[in-house]
Amino acid sequence: MKKWLGFLLLLPALAYAEEFSFDVSSYEKKRYEWGGYLEGFTEYNQLASDTALYNLNFSGNDNPDAIKRFLATAELEGLYRFDSTSLNFKGHATFSDDYFGREYQTDIYELYYAANPSDQLNLEIGKRVIKWGKGYAWNPVGFIERAKDPNDPDLSREGFIIADADYIRSFAGQLKTLSIKSVILPVSDDINSDFSSESDINFAGKIYLLYRNTDIDFLFLSDGSRSGRLGLDFSRNITPNFELHGEIAYINQQTLFRISDLNQLESSEENIIQSLVGVRYLTETEITWVVEYYHNGAGQKQSQLSRFYTLASVDPADIPALFELANKARSAGYTAPNAGRDYLYLRASKRDSFNIVYLATALTSIININDQSFSLAPELVYTGFTNTESRLRMIWLYGDKNSEFGEKQNELKLEFRFRLFF
Amino acid sequence: MVKYLLLLSILLFSDVWAVDGNALLFDIDRRLQPESYEMYRKLINIEPDGDRKEFVLYTVKKGKNDVVALFLDPPSEKGRSSLRQGENMWLYIPNVGKPIRITSLQSVVGGVFNNSDLLRLDYSTEYDAEKVSEENDQLVLDLKAKNRSVSYDRLKMWVNKKTQVPAKIEAYAASGMLIKTLYYSKTKDFGNGIVRPAMLETDSPLYKGYKSVMLFDGIKPRDFNDEVFTLNYMPRVGELRK
């Protein structure tokens, strides 16, 4: 009887112990690991039929007022460990269905072999993403990476085939860390042909210092498939809740395009500077502000963009030569994201908004300083259901005639993204 | 005679008999964990309706200033690591692909725990003991942050007199507002002479009805190279696991 009574008295304690169980063995290092996510993405684009890019993109079509787009994405990554080496993989598959048709695409974003002979040395060979710079929306010193989308800076991107070595040393004193990274990036018709059309063996490198509590990087890319470039970036906490960062890049003889007074697309080579300065600030109410100013020395002056928008607005039936020129200018980068000279990026975000844990809200704006046009994007992100992320976002574009955001094909975009992680 | 009276007055009115708060705080730290160690933690956020979200972290620490924590679970957070070198903190997210600087007050995953809770250094590294008093069978330490980079300006720590491990800690902002209360419980022998609470519960008046629980396991003394606590190493922290 006493035994049963004792057992009954122990039940709540047993239930409690069960409630908070923790089996460490299932988290120890295994021979292989894998994971990834499945994503469903849908967007509604309210088009602006009186804009230059609408004319350029939809001329000859049935002049839609709005287009919808659906994307299904699967990203799978994993690694297999040998002794002190590993084989790493990241694959990305997308199915898209929109006004222009259906498309299915698979890419290997990363596939590389990594060796760690010591804690100080890391060697890698294969397809690998290398991301450099301290900027959130833009990275002028991102010399060997694919362009970042400032509307979605955290999206994963495809790498290039490289070989790299990373050597780290730590010290006592003002200089706490020194690391040297060297990268070889070959380009030929078969390898990394989307890095450049010019075949060459390219060298890049980065020297990192943590000096007096400031992160400092010196970076370079040799003259080869792309024009040579030098860079510097830094990041430092001025106070515990206020961070300052910056980047500057000097690019030697960069090929630039411009539309001449004679309505021809001309190219020239110029030395240019690209720079960024920004802050990250956490307020007492736990709102994180990111503010960045970006100077794009390779960007088009306002007068050039205005000329392009005028060309892109012509009726192809009336003046086909000018419309053709606008198409050529598009291929030369006139419609690339942030093709202008000077931009401001503002983002205010808050976790656990409206006292709802796992609900994050954000308001993001990208402003073309030269023509005062801008985008404004409020968003809600909810991560309360385990292994899921739901994001609802609206992007509203505003600008005068012949301004960058005023001449985009859409005036409003509403999108919903759902991710299931595994 | 005067000499003896002088000696007696010194003994009566000096601090010779007072508990050295900072030495006690140092002892408490060593009872909680070695100065350099590895450990696993499970963080459980419990919502008012009973719903839970669980996170598992692998943490390594060296000396007074260096600590790095890696998320192992759930899959949505897997691979994220946070590094702290004294007052400097960085976050590495695999998709972002490079470390960014963060502040100690930011919440990493939402909920009651913030970066500083997950990357806590020794109490004696971050706080000075200003006062030690007694309350029943417990010692009560009033702690003041050594600098502004520490998340909580003041801590009030109730310590079991016999085991010399904390039982309860109240964390206050500089304004005097109570930010959160932490409760240590379930003392466990982790081996290597480490006998300490295996559970830490937290609630906060800022998150009414919410509760966070942290479970500790696999605490082992271990030495690491300094290079483990650098930005370059953040993507590889998981390789330190045995």
Side-chain angles (χ1 to χ4, degrees):
Chain A
M1 180 64 188
K2 269 187 184 170
K3 209 165 28 175
W4 280 108
L5 195 64
F7 180 73
L8 285 172
L9 287 171
L10 269 174
L11 266 180
L14 287 171
Y16 193 63
E18 180 63 28
E19 201 181 7
F20 294 127
S21 64
F22 186 16
D23 177 18
V24 166
S25 64
S26 56
Y27 299 105
E28 286 168 355
K29 195 160 75 175
K30 294 179 182 62
R31 181 63 79 179
Y32 63 89
E33 288 179 24
W34 64 282
Y37 65 83
L38 298 171
E39 177 185 299
F41 176 92
T42 181
E43 70 179 13
Y44 170 83
N45 284 280
Q46 179 66 50
L47 301 176
S49 59
D50 57 345
T51 61
L53 295 195
Y54 181 95
N55 188 55
L56 196 63
N57 293 333
F58 291 99
S59 193
N61 288 313
D62 54 357
N63 298 328
D65 295 326
I67 54 174
K68 291 172 196 159
R69 188 161 172 249
F70 174 75
L71 259 99
T73 301
E75 191 165 292
L76 177 69
E77 61 185 308
L79 69 91
Y80 189 87
R81 294 187 175 95
F82 302 93
D83 289 332
S84 61
T85 65
S86 62
L87 186 63
N88 301 263
F89 169 81
K90 184 189 270 190
H92 191 89
T94 308
F95 168 78
S96 65
D97 183 7
D98 62 20
Y99 174 82
F100 300 102
R102 289 179 175 178
E103 197 179 345
Y104 179 69
Q105 192 174 344
T106 54
D107 294 298
I108 294 172
Y109 274 15
E110 291 191 314
L111 179 60
Y112 64 95
Y113 186 71
N116 309 121
S118 70
D119 285 341
Q120 289 79 20
L121 185 62
N122 185 43
L123 306 168
E124 294 169 335
I125 186 163
K127 194 169 187 181
R128 179 77 165 117
V129 175
I130 303 279
K131 292 177 180 173
W132 286 345
K134 305 297 183 197
Y136 181 72
W138 301 280
N139 292 114
V141 300
F143 294 153
I144 50 172
E145 63 193 74
R146 286 164 210 272
K148 185 192 256 186
D149 178 359
N151 286 310
D152 248 328
D154 296 344
L155 285 183
S156 51
R157 286 174 274 163
E158 188 179 350
F160 290 110
I161 294 169
I162 59 163
D164 77 272
D166 197 9
Y167 179 71
I168 325 163
R169 281 300 305 272
S170 292
F171 306 96
Q174 299 289 4
L175 176 63
K176 285 187 179 142
T177 310
L178 166 69
S179 78
I180 300 168
K181 189 180 190 80
S182 51
V183 182
I184 300 172
L185 191 155
V187 173
S188 70
D189 291 343
D190 303 318
I191 299 174
N192 294 328
S193 55
D194 46 355
F195 182 77
S196 168
S197 55
E198 270 186 57
S199 297
D200 212 325
I201 304 286
N202 303 280
F203 298 94
K206 181 175 89 156
I207 297 171
Y208 164 74
L209 313 172
L210 175 57
Y211 179 69
R212 289 176 177 264
N213 292 328
T214 305
D215 297 313
I216 304 167
D217 291 304
F218 299 96
L219 315 99
F220 79 92
L221 172 66
S222 65
D223 206 22
S225 300
R226 289 183 182 175
S227 46
R229 47 201 79 189
L230 296 169
L232 167 75
D233 70 32
F234 71 93
S235 172
R236 181 185 171 85
N237 275 83
I238 306 297
T239 65
N241 62 339
F242 187 89
E243 181 262 0
L244 174 70
H245 59 264
E247 298 182 24
I248 185 162
Y250 169 80
I251 304 175
N252 186 44
Q253 296 293 293
Q254 166 96 327
T255 303
L256 302 176
F257 293 92
R258 65 184 294 277
I259 300 164
S260 71
D261 295 340
L262 299 171
N263 283 332
Q264 286 184 327
L265 191 64
E266 294 177 343
S267 69
S268 62
E269 292 191 337
E270 290 176 30
N271 299 331
I272 61 159
I273 299 278
Q274 290 184 312
S275 58
L276 176 140
V277 61
V279 297
R280 184 185 297 261
Y281 174 60
L282 180 69
T283 68
E284 282 188 9
T285 51
E286 299 205 5
I287 294 172
T288 301
W289 283 90
V290 178
V291 181
E292 290 182 342
Y293 164 73
Y294 171 51
H295 172 69
N296 177 16
Q300 298 296 346
K301 288 181 178 168
Q302 182 49 33
S303 57
Q304 271 291 307
L305 283 177
S306 183
R307 182 172 290 175
F308 166 71
Y309 296 133
T310 305
L311 292 173
S313 300
V314 301
D315 186 337
D318 287 348
I319 324 175
L322 292 186
F323 193 75
E324 182 58 28
L325 176 62
N327 265 316
K328 277 186 189 165
R330 172 165 60 179
S331 303
Y334 275 72
T335 60
N338 313 131
R341 279 283 167 111
D342 298 287
Y343 291 92
L344 194 62
Y345 179 89
L346 300 165
R347 180 176 170 86
S349 58
K350 184 169 167 52
R351 274 186 177 275
D352 301 342
S353 294
F354 310 113
N355 290 323
I356 301 172
V357 177
Y358 311 122
L359 177 69
T361 52
L363 185 66
T364 308
S365 183
I366 300 173
I367 303 162
N368 181 323
I369 295 171
N370 305 117
D371 64 18
Q372 284 95 49
S373 65
F374 61 88
S375 68
L376 189 66
E379 71 179 55
L380 295 172
V381 179
Y382 186 69
T383 53
F385 302 111
T386 301
N387 290 328
T388 68
E389 181 196 88
S390 308
R391 185 181 77 178
L392 180 65
R393 184 166 74 160
M394 191 184 88
I395 302 176
W396 178 59
L397 307 177
Y398 177 81
D400 292 336
K401 191 78 188 153
N402 285 343
S403 68
E404 183 182 356
F405 291 99
E407 293 292 359
K408 296 235 184 243
Q409 68 176 24
N410 50 334
E411 58 189 357
L412 188 75
K413 190 190 277 192
L414 188 64
E415 58 181 43
F416 177 72
R417 186 180 81 182
F418 176 78
R419 278 184 178 175
L420 175 67
F421 297 88
F422 56 87
Chain B
M1 182 63 188
V2 174
K3 205 162 63 179
Y4 286 112
L5 279 174
L6 191 65
L7 185 61
L8 187 64
S9 64
I10 289 170
L11 288 171
L12 282 174
F13 299 109
S14 74
D15 285 339
V16 170
W17 304 112
V19 176
D20 181 341
N22 286 324
L24 174 62
L25 197 58
F26 183 80
D27 287 345
I28 292 166
D29 283 325
R30 289 295 71 83
R31 283 173 194 281
L32 285 175
Q33 65 258 322
E35 194 170 56
S36 297
Y37 64 84
E38 68 173 350
M39 76 170 164
Y40 290 83
R41 287 177 289 176
K42 181 185 269 188
L43 170 63
I44 307 163
N45 281 345
I46 304 166
E47 295 176 44
D49 62 3
D51 280 355
R52 291 178 180 190
K53 207 169 172 191
E54 299 187 351
F55 307 86
V56 175
L57 296 111
Y58 171 70
T59 306
V60 302
K61 178 177 173 285
K62 179 176 184 174
K64 287 183 183 303
N65 290 313
D66 297 340
V67 59
V68 61
L70 167 75
F71 279 91
L72 301 173
D73 207 33
S76 56
E77 312 295 328
K78 192 177 173 184
R80 283 181 179 227
S81 59
S82 302
L83 167 68
R84 179 170 182 184
Q85 275 196 11
E87 294 173 20
N88 301 295
M89 279 192 195
W90 298 266
L91 172 68
Y92 173 82
I93 301 172
N95 257 3
V96 175
K98 59 189 177 189
I100 53 166
R101 278 185 177 255
I102 52 172
T103 73
S104 57
L105 281 170
Q106 275 177 303
S107 171
V108 178
V109 291
V112 181
F113 284 114
N114 61 30
N115 287 332
S116 185
D117 296 319
L118 299 184
L119 295 175
R120 193 178 66 75
L121 301 176
D122 286 347
Y123 288 115
S124 56
T125 303
E126 297 190 323
Y127 293 92
D128 280 322
E130 287 191 331
K131 188 181 149 196
V132 182
S133 55
E134 287 191 32
E135 202 176 283
N136 302 322
D137 58 345
Q138 292 183 316
L139 293 169
V140 183
L141 281 75
D142 284 303
L143 308 178
K144 173 85 173 86
K146 286 182 176 174
N147 57 56
R148 286 197 305 148
S149 69
V150 180
S151 290
Y152 314 114
D153 185 59
R154 284 182 179 276
L155 297 181
K156 192 167 186 180
M157 179 186 284
W158 283 261
V159 179
N160 184 307
K161 230 193 259 184
K162 195 171 151 194
T163 61
Q164 294 216 330
V165 291
K168 178 183 158 186
I169 298 172
E170 288 178 348
Y172 294 90
S175 63
M177 182 177 71
L178 176 66
I179 299 176
K180 65 181 71 166
T181 308
L182 302 99
Y183 307 89
Y184 282 98
S185 62
K186 300 210 175 293
T187 300
K188 178 181 167 181
D189 187 343
F190 290 90
N192 299 299
I194 305 166
V195 181
R196 53 153 290 167
M199 187 160 95
L200 176 65
E201 291 172 85
T202 307
D203 56 39
S204 167
L206 306 177
Y207 291 87
K208 284 202 173 96
Y210 288 88
K211 193 170 86 165
S212 285
V213 176
M214 197 182 279
L215 305 176
F216 300 85
D217 210 345
I219 305 176
K220 287 179 198 155
R222 190 174 162 189
D223 201 16
F224 299 95
N225 284 319
D226 290 335
E227 285 76 14
V228 164
F229 304 91
T230 59
L231 301 194
N232 306 52
Y233 206 91
M234 290 179 83
R236 292 190 277 144
V237 174
E239 301 307 307
L240 293 169
R241 288 173 297 162
K242 298 234 164 139

